[in-house]
Amino acid sequence: MKRPDPFQALCPTRRILDRIGDSWAVLILIALGSGTLRFNALKRRIENISQKMLSQTLKSLERDGLVRREVFATVPVTVEYSLTDLGRTLSQTVNQLTLWAEAHIGEIEAAQQRYDRGEGATEPEGRAAGGC
Amino acid sequence: MKRPDPFQALCPTRRILDRIGDSWAVLILIALGSGTLRFNALKRRIENISQKMLSQTLKSLERDGLVRREVFATVPVTVEYSLTDLGRTLSQTVNQLTLWAEAHIGEIEAAQQRYDRGEGATEPEGRAAGGC
DNA sequence: CAGAATCCCTCAAGATACTG
DNA sequence: CAGTATCTTGAGGGATTCTG
């Protein structure tokens, strides 16, 4: 049997990779990883996301079966978003990535400074490394 | 201590996530995961990548300390690319993602069809439709 | 509150051509 | 072979406005 080849542009696996490539989608997955959230709560949680991108990304995540959308007929209407079982497994996998990032961010920044020092970096760099 | 918060736009962790978001970078990481490759070999391996994006992405991966570039003074010149130790650990982490993708592509495609069909059903279908 | 619909504009990526 | 240097485009995303 043939395994999916991510190097071929039309490969389904490639499509998943592209979804991960969507920064907003990943942030939503992470945000919902710690529990159900309403639309505006999600918007407040993820700094700088526009409501357009939020609703658009949520819709495509729902379409992929990763996020569940529940509407409650209150006044005004209430909409809750949560991860499906499938979404939860992806969210956990993505979390591995953020763990890697947190563990290795220091090495990466060190490498960058080394690199920039080797090439024609004429600017006196004053960047502070470390957490947020 | 303060943990990195990926929801803040300037967070280092967010920058790593964005790097993963770079589809070409991920494909290069995967390609080099199975061994050293020369520039044009890499280009042949990854369908549809332009030489511009290849050299550009390689440069930033090198800057991040993920990829090692070695030049041999042959005629014409030979350049070999390989993963650093750091790059290898990231490549393996990314591989988890492709494994997830291969395992769940069927569920996702089923969900999409359900959604496109007027979002009536809620039954989880386990049928696999993947494969390139 | 939870979105849909518009306009608008940048900038990332492709195509092409040239070089050491 | 292994790149660099321009030019051009188009679609992704921001800002804004409107609605059930």
Side-chain angles (χ1 to χ4, degrees):
Chain A
M1 72 181 268
K2 49 180 176 180
R3 286 183 75 245
D5 176 4
F7 300 119
Q8 292 179 356
L10 293 177
C11 176
T13 303
R14 178 79 163 265
R15 295 211 311 271
I16 307 292
L17 251 21
D18 284 345
R19 147 102 23 263
I20 301 302
D22 182 347
S23 189
W24 294 133
V26 170
L27 290 175
I28 290 175
L29 248 22
I30 295 176
L32 291 180
S34 39
T36 298
L37 287 173
R38 311 229 314 252
F39 187 87
N40 279 317
L42 214 35
K43 180 158 168 26
R44 255 172 275 122
R45 187 81 203 281
I46 303 176
E47 280 186 48
N48 296 337
I49 193 173
S50 62
Q51 79 283 58
K52 175 186 174 182
M53 289 317 295
L54 181 55
S55 89
Q56 186 174 305
T57 308
L58 279 170
K59 204 179 297 179
S60 75
L61 286 171
E62 189 194 358
R63 176 169 184 267
D64 287 350
L66 298 167
V67 160
R68 172 175 25 246
R69 177 178 184 271
E70 291 176 288
V71 183
F72 300 94
T74 54
V75 177
V77 68
T78 300
V79 181
E80 287 188 352
Y81 289 94
S82 55
L83 294 181
T84 62
D85 288 344
L86 186 61
R88 198 164 299 117
T89 68
L90 178 55
S91 180
Q92 284 164 4
T93 306
V94 166
N95 252 357
Q96 299 303 311
L97 229 40
T98 73
L99 289 178
W100 187 96
E102 291 175 19
H104 297 285
I105 182 67
E107 294 173 69
I108 290 199
E109 290 187 337
Q112 289 175 347
Q113 288 173 11
R114 235 178 294 126
Y115 185 96
D116 293 343
R117 206 154 295 170
E119 319 296 75
T122 48
E123 298 249 346
E125 303 283 337
R127 279 204 58 89
C132 294
Chain B
M1 68 176 282
K2 49 180 176 181
R3 282 184 78 245
D5 176 5
F7 300 118
Q8 292 179 357
L10 294 177
C11 177
T13 304
R14 177 77 163 267
R15 295 210 312 271
I16 307 293
L17 252 20
D18 285 346
R19 144 91 43 255
I20 302 302
D22 181 348
S23 188
W24 293 133
V26 170
L27 290 174
I28 291 175
L29 249 21
I30 294 176
L32 291 180
S34 40
T36 297
L37 287 173
R38 311 228 313 250
F39 187 86
N40 279 317
L42 215 32
K43 179 156 168 28
R44 256 173 274 121
R45 187 82 204 280
I46 303 176
E47 279 186 48
N48 296 335
I49 192 171
S50 62
Q51 79 283 56
K52 176 187 173 181
M53 289 317 295
L54 181 54
S55 91
Q56 186 174 306
T57 307
L58 280 170
K59 202 179 298 178
S60 75
L61 286 171
E62 188 194 357
R63 176 170 184 266
D64 287 351
L66 297 167
V67 160
R68 173 175 23 247
R69 177 177 184 271
E70 291 178 287
V71 183
F72 300 94
T74 54
V75 177
V77 67
T78 300
V79 181
E80 287 187 354
Y81 289 94
S82 55
L83 293 181
T84 62
D85 289 344
L86 186 60
R88 197 164 301 116
T89 68
L90 179 55
S91 180
Q92 284 164 4
T93 306
V94 166
N95 252 357
Q96 298 304 311
L97 228 40
T98 73
L99 289 178
W100 188 95
E102 291 175 19
H104 297 284
I105 181 66
E107 295 173 67
I108 291 199
E109 290 187 335
Q112 289 175 349
Q113 288 173 12
R114 237 178 293 128
Y115 185 95
D116 293 342
R117 204 156 294 174
E119 47 199 303
T122 325
E123 278 305 301
E125 292 283 332
R127 193 186 142 273
C132 290

PDB file of all heavy atoms in Angstrom, chain B residues 90-104:
ATOM      1  N   LEU B  90      13.279  18.700  16.513  1.00  0.00           N
ATOM      2  CA  LEU B  90      12.070  19.351  16.005  1.00  0.00           C
ATOM      3  C   LEU B  90      11.426  18.516  14.911  1.00  0.00           C
ATOM      4  O   LEU B  90      10.204  18.350  14.875  1.00  0.00           O
ATOM      5  CB  LEU B  90      12.388  20.748  15.464  1.00  0.00           C
ATOM      6  CG  LEU B  90      11.187  21.488  14.882  1.00  0.00           C
ATOM      7  CD1 LEU B  90      10.054  21.571  15.895  1.00  0.00           C
ATOM      8  CD2 LEU B  90      11.573  22.887  14.426  1.00  0.00           C
ATOM      9  N   SER B  91      12.269  17.986  14.056  1.00  0.00           N
ATOM     10  CA  SER B  91      11.759  17.153  12.964  1.00  0.00           C
ATOM     11  C   SER B  91      10.952  15.976  13.505  1.00  0.00           C
ATOM     12  O   SER B  91       9.899  15.623  12.981  1.00  0.00           O
ATOM     13  CB  SER B  91      12.928  16.647  12.122  1.00  0.00           C
ATOM     14  OG  SER B  91      12.456  15.854  11.062  1.00  0.00           O
ATOM     15  N   GLN B  92      11.451  15.396  14.596  1.00  0.00           N
ATOM     16  CA  GLN B  92      10.731  14.262  15.180  1.00  0.00           C
ATOM     17  C   GLN B  92       9.399  14.694  15.771  1.00  0.00           C
ATOM     18  O   GLN B  92       8.391  13.994  15.655  1.00  0.00           O
ATOM     19  CB  GLN B  92      11.600  13.598  16.246  1.00  0.00           C
ATOM     20  CG  GLN B  92      12.699  12.743  15.626  1.00  0.00           C
ATOM     21  CD  GLN B  92      13.791  12.399  16.620  1.00  0.00           C
ATOM     22  OE1 GLN B  92      13.697  12.728  17.794  1.00  0.00           O
ATOM     23  NE2 GLN B  92      14.827  11.733  16.132  1.00  0.00           N
ATOM     24  N   THR B  93       9.417  15.858  16.392  1.00  0.00           N
ATOM     25  CA  THR B  93       8.165  16.362  16.957  1.00  0.00           C
ATOM     26  C   THR B  93       7.151  16.638  15.856  1.00  0.00           C
ATOM     27  O   THR B  93       5.975  16.310  15.980  1.00  0.00           O
ATOM     28  CB  THR B  93       8.426  17.660  17.755  1.00  0.00           C
ATOM     29  OG1 THR B  93       9.448  17.423  18.715  1.00  0.00           O
ATOM     30  CG2 THR B  93       7.172  18.119  18.457  1.00  0.00           C
ATOM     31  N   VAL B  94       7.646  17.223  14.771  1.00  0.00           N
ATOM     32  CA  VAL B  94       6.764  17.493  13.644  1.00  0.00           C
ATOM     33  C   VAL B  94       6.228  16.195  13.056  1.00  0.00           C
ATOM     34  O   VAL B  94       5.090  16.128  12.593  1.00  0.00           O
ATOM     35  CB  VAL B  94       7.513  18.305  12.573  1.00  0.00           C
ATOM     36  CG1 VAL B  94       6.755  18.303  11.267  1.00  0.00           C
ATOM     37  CG2 VAL B  94       7.722  19.732  13.058  1.00  0.00           C
ATOM     38  N   ASN B  95       7.047  15.171  13.115  1.00  0.00           N
ATOM     39  CA  ASN B  95       6.613  13.878  12.599  1.00  0.00           C
ATOM     40  C   ASN B  95       5.389  13.354  13.338  1.00  0.00           C
ATOM     41  O   ASN B  95       4.547  12.672  12.752  1.00  0.00           O
ATOM     42  CB  ASN B  95       7.750  12.872  12.711  1.00  0.00           C
ATOM     43  CG  ASN B  95       8.325  12.549  11.363  1.00  0.00           C
ATOM     44  OD1 ASN B  95       7.830  13.037  10.338  1.00  0.00           O
ATOM     45  ND2 ASN B  95       9.361  11.747  11.331  1.00  0.00           N
ATOM     46  N   GLN B  96       5.291  13.657  14.609  1.00  0.00           N
ATOM     47  CA  GLN B  96       4.103  13.263  15.367  1.00  0.00           C
ATOM     48  C   GLN B  96       2.853  13.818  14.697  1.00  0.00           C
ATOM     49  O   GLN B  96       1.813  13.174  14.630  1.00  0.00           O
ATOM     50  CB  GLN B  96       4.179  13.809  16.801  1.00  0.00           C
ATOM     51  CG  GLN B  96       5.341  13.273  17.604  1.00  0.00           C
ATOM     52  CD  GLN B  96       5.342  11.764  17.647  1.00  0.00           C
ATOM     53  OE1 GLN B  96       4.323  11.148  17.944  1.00  0.00           O
ATOM     54  NE2 GLN B  96       6.472  11.141  17.311  1.00  0.00           N
ATOM     55  N   LEU B  97       3.025  15.032  14.197  1.00  0.00           N
ATOM     56  CA  LEU B  97       1.921  15.700  13.542  1.00  0.00           C
ATOM     57  C   LEU B  97       1.525  14.988  12.249  1.00  0.00           C
ATOM     58  O   LEU B  97       0.344  14.793  11.964  1.00  0.00           O
ATOM     59  CB  LEU B  97       2.356  17.126  13.216  1.00  0.00           C
ATOM     60  CG  LEU B  97       1.418  18.244  13.592  1.00  0.00           C
ATOM     61  CD1 LEU B  97       0.775  17.990  14.927  1.00  0.00           C
ATOM     62  CD2 LEU B  97       2.171  19.563  13.591  1.00  0.00           C
ATOM     63  N   THR B  98       2.508  14.580  11.488  1.00  0.00           N
ATOM     64  CA  THR B  98       2.177  13.905  10.230  1.00  0.00           C
ATOM     65  C   THR B  98       1.566  12.535  10.534  1.00  0.00           C
ATOM     66  O   THR B  98       0.706  12.067   9.794  1.00  0.00           O
ATOM     67  CB  THR B  98       3.411  13.736   9.335  1.00  0.00           C
ATOM     68  OG1 THR B  98       4.262  12.738   9.871  1.00  0.00           O
ATOM     69  CG2 THR B  98       4.176  15.048   9.220  1.00  0.00           C
ATOM     70  N   LEU B  99       2.014  11.915  11.618  1.00  0.00           N
ATOM     71  CA  LEU B  99       1.404  10.642  11.999  1.00  0.00           C
ATOM     72  C   LEU B  99      -0.059  10.868  12.357  1.00  0.00           C
ATOM     73  O   LEU B  99      -0.929  10.096  11.971  1.00  0.00           O
ATOM     74  CB  LEU B  99       2.154  10.023  13.192  1.00  0.00           C
ATOM     75  CG  LEU B  99       3.547   9.494  12.857  1.00  0.00           C
ATOM     76  CD1 LEU B  99       4.221   8.956  14.112  1.00  0.00           C
ATOM     77  CD2 LEU B  99       3.445   8.407  11.785  1.00  0.00           C
ATOM     78  N   TRP B 100      -0.324  11.939  13.099  1.00  0.00           N
ATOM     79  CA  TRP B 100      -1.706  12.262  13.434  1.00  0.00           C
ATOM     80  C   TRP B 100      -2.503  12.460  12.151  1.00  0.00           C
ATOM     81  O   TRP B 100      -3.618  11.945  12.008  1.00  0.00           O
ATOM     82  CB  TRP B 100      -1.757  13.530  14.292  1.00  0.00           C
ATOM     83  CG  TRP B 100      -3.137  13.807  14.824  1.00  0.00           C
ATOM     84  CD1 TRP B 100      -3.631  13.438  16.037  1.00  0.00           C
ATOM     85  CD2 TRP B 100      -4.195  14.477  14.129  1.00  0.00           C
ATOM     86  NE1 TRP B 100      -4.938  13.831  16.144  1.00  0.00           N
ATOM     87  CE2 TRP B 100      -5.317  14.473  15.003  1.00  0.00           C
ATOM     88  CE3 TRP B 100      -4.327  15.070  12.877  1.00  0.00           C
ATOM     89  CZ2 TRP B 100      -6.533  15.047  14.648  1.00  0.00           C
ATOM     90  CZ3 TRP B 100      -5.528  15.641  12.523  1.00  0.00           C
ATOM     91  CH2 TRP B 100      -6.619  15.628  13.411  1.00  0.00           C
ATOM     92  N   ALA B 101      -1.911  13.198  11.234  1.00  0.00           N
ATOM     93  CA  ALA B 101      -2.598  13.496   9.983  1.00  0.00           C
ATOM     94  C   ALA B 101      -2.951  12.225   9.230  1.00  0.00           C
ATOM     95  O   ALA B 101      -4.081  12.048   8.775  1.00  0.00           O
ATOM     96  CB  ALA B 101      -1.723  14.403   9.122  1.00  0.00           C
ATOM     97  N   GLU B 102      -1.986  11.318   9.134  1.00  0.00           N
ATOM     98  CA  GLU B 102      -2.229  10.081   8.405  1.00  0.00           C
ATOM     99  C   GLU B 102      -3.289   9.235   9.092  1.00  0.00           C
ATOM    100  O   GLU B 102      -4.096   8.577   8.445  1.00  0.00           O
ATOM    101  CB  GLU B 102      -0.928   9.282   8.280  1.00  0.00           C
ATOM    102  CG  GLU B 102       0.067   9.956   7.347  1.00  0.00           C
ATOM    103  CD  GLU B 102       1.406   9.228   7.310  1.00  0.00           C
ATOM    104  OE1 GLU B 102       1.451   8.047   7.708  1.00  0.00           O
ATOM    105  OE2 GLU B 102       2.404   9.846   6.892  1.00  0.00           O
ATOM    106  N   ALA B 103      -3.300   9.309  10.420  1.00  0.00           N
ATOM    107  CA  ALA B 103      -4.238   8.478  11.169  1.00  0.00           C
ATOM    108  C   ALA B 103      -5.666   9.012  11.109  1.00  0.00           C
ATOM    109  O   ALA B 103      -6.626   8.258  11.204  1.00  0.00           O
ATOM    110  CB  ALA B 103      -3.782   8.357  12.631  1.00  0.00           C
ATOM    111  N   HIS B 104      -5.797  10.341  10.956  1.00  0.00           N
ATOM    112  CA  HIS B 104      -7.125  10.929  11.109  1.00  0.00           C
ATOM    113  C   HIS B 104      -7.676  11.603   9.864  1.00  0.00           C
ATOM    114  O   HIS B 104      -8.753  12.187   9.913  1.00  0.00           O
ATOM    115  CB  HIS B 104      -7.109  11.924  12.274  1.00  0.00           C
ATOM    116  CG  HIS B 104      -6.807  11.298  13.586  1.00  0.00           C
ATOM    117  ND1 HIS B 104      -7.741  10.557  14.287  1.00  0.00           N
ATOM    118  CD2 HIS B 104      -5.672  11.261  14.330  1.00  0.00           C
ATOM    119  CE1 HIS B 104      -7.191  10.109  15.406  1.00  0.00           C
ATOM    120  NE2 HIS B 104      -5.937  10.518  15.457  1.00  0.00           N
TER     121      HIS B 104
END
